[in-house]
Amino acid sequence: ACWKTYLGRPEVDELRRMGMEQLGNGLSRAEHYEDALSVMEAELATLRRLGASEANILGLQTNLACTYGELGRLGEASNMFHDVYSGRLKLYGEEHQGTLRAALNCAASLNQQERFEEANSFMRKMMPVARRVIGENHEFTLRMRSIYARTLYDDPAATLDDLR
């Protein structure tokens, strides 16, 4: 019902855009990922066409990458997570929580694709930043350490030296 309420509004109307966002998120939460993907891709095209802020585009791309992952399209998910990380790095710098969250998503995606060496290298670079900026006990820092440990555990080529 939400989407139908705003469908007739002009493309530039903020309420229409928000209705579209809610539709995509709702479909995703209901595990209708193919339908969510269609809505999110259309929303991304609209945002780009209208010249939306980079922050809004990166937020939508994060949701889109998660949806690709749910559909088993891991390569597309990983590429988009990397694009989001690069975009947030340019926009906010390395020490911003949004950039750290994007780094976390990027590393998790690399691990899921069994690209262990890349994931480990990336986490070794980002964990000290997270510790310095948000602290040793922050959720993101702990999740980074968890992904790093998981990557070492999953990597059949990992050595005892990697564990130290």
Side-chain angles (χ1 to χ4, degrees):
C2 175
W3 174 243
K4 289 180 181 179
T5 302
Y6 302 106
L7 183 60
R9 291 177 180 256
E11 192 175 60
V12 295
D13 186 281
E14 185 66 17
L15 291 176
R16 180 180 194 265
R17 194 198 65 73
M18 288 171 31
M20 196 170 189
E21 180 181 4
Q22 288 300 313
L23 176 61
N25 290 339
L27 289 166
S28 185
R29 284 189 195 106
E31 299 180 5
H32 296 281
Y33 300 116
E34 287 289 346
D35 295 328
L37 181 64
S38 295
V39 171
M40 289 178 189
E41 286 175 335
E43 184 183 0
L44 181 59
T46 300
L47 288 178
R48 286 183 170 149
R49 201 170 34 257
L50 297 176
S53 73
E54 186 68 13
N56 284 346
I57 289 173
L58 292 171
L60 178 57
Q61 285 180 307
T62 299
N63 292 342
L64 195 51
C66 291
T67 303
Y68 283 138
E70 290 293 345
L71 290 169
R73 295 166 62 173
L74 302 181
E76 290 167 280
S78 184
N79 290 340
M80 190 156 288
F81 279 130
H82 186 268
D83 290 347
V84 170
Y85 169 73
S86 296
R88 291 198 184 277
L89 187 60
K90 277 188 236 173
L91 196 60
Y92 302 118
E94 183 178 65
E95 297 184 348
H96 188 272
Q97 279 196 21
T99 305
L100 294 172
R101 182 183 304 113
L104 185 61
N105 289 337
C106 195
S109 179
L110 289 169
N111 186 49
Q112 193 172 19
Q113 289 185 78
E114 299 182 358
R115 293 166 57 184
F116 303 122
E117 195 170 315
E118 289 173 75
N120 283 339
S121 174
F122 193 56
M123 283 295 89
R124 279 193 302 272
K125 174 186 167 200
M126 294 308 300
M127 284 189 303
V129 175
R131 281 188 202 112
R132 183 178 69 249
V133 173
I134 55 179
E136 190 72 40
N137 296 319
H138 190 279
E139 176 188 357
F140 292 168
T141 307
L142 296 172
R143 289 178 61 199
M144 283 182 181
R145 292 176 69 185
S146 175
I147 288 171
Y148 182 66
R150 185 79 214 182
T151 302
L152 289 174
Y153 176 80
D154 289 343
D155 186 358
T159 67
L160 286 176
D161 288 336
D162 294 329
L163 300 175
R164 295 181 185 143

